[in-house]
Amino acid sequence: MGAGIGTARAEVAAPGAVSAPSHAPTLDPAAWQRAASRVGDYLAAMGVRHPQEVERLREAVRARLESRLATTPPEDPVESAIEETHALLDLWLATELGLEGDANTLCAARAAVLG
């Protein structure tokens, strides 16, 4: 499961695909450290433990967070990082299972993966 998640998520974070403009504010390094640690814990709870996969997913989450900063600074970077991790999981599930617009099936698939 970990390799598939990492592969799908890495595609989302391809260079240039989800990057903040150069003039956009960046995430505070201390806030990112806290968030990165929680993202790692969250991924481990889902069974993603391979160091390269975890790092690739953390970078995808960071890119999404920094992209978010261009429009809305997060109130809680840790919570925002978990939201982005969750969004990447949903994207992977929808892609792997072909769940275009099927929210109920996506919810059940998410529960199965996280349970």
Side-chain angles (χ1 to χ4, degrees):
M1 177 176 81
I5 292 173
T7 303
R9 288 183 182 168
E11 291 171 6
V12 173
V18 185
S19 61
S22 60
H23 57 77
T26 58
L27 193 59
D28 173 56
W32 171 244
Q33 284 303 102
R34 288 190 314 276
S37 176
R38 289 288 298 277
V39 166
D41 293 344
Y42 189 70
L43 292 170
M46 289 190 297
V48 181
R49 293 184 179 86
H50 190 279
Q52 290 175 323
E53 290 293 316
V54 171
E55 188 56 33
R56 188 174 15 213
L57 292 168
R58 277 187 184 143
E59 287 307 311
V61 168
R62 183 177 189 154
R64 291 174 66 105
L65 276 177
E66 290 196 348
S67 179
R68 238 190 204 194
L69 284 174
T71 56
T72 308
E75 289 184 31
D76 181 355
V78 172
E79 182 179 326
S80 296
I82 296 300
E83 288 170 1
E84 292 300 337
T85 304
H86 204 73
L88 288 170
L89 171 65
D90 285 354
L91 179 62
W92 173 74
L93 287 169
T95 300
E96 289 296 311
L97 301 175
L99 303 176
E100 295 180 34
D102 189 350
N104 291 332
T105 304
L106 179 59
C107 186
R110 184 186 319 122
V113 169
L114 296 177

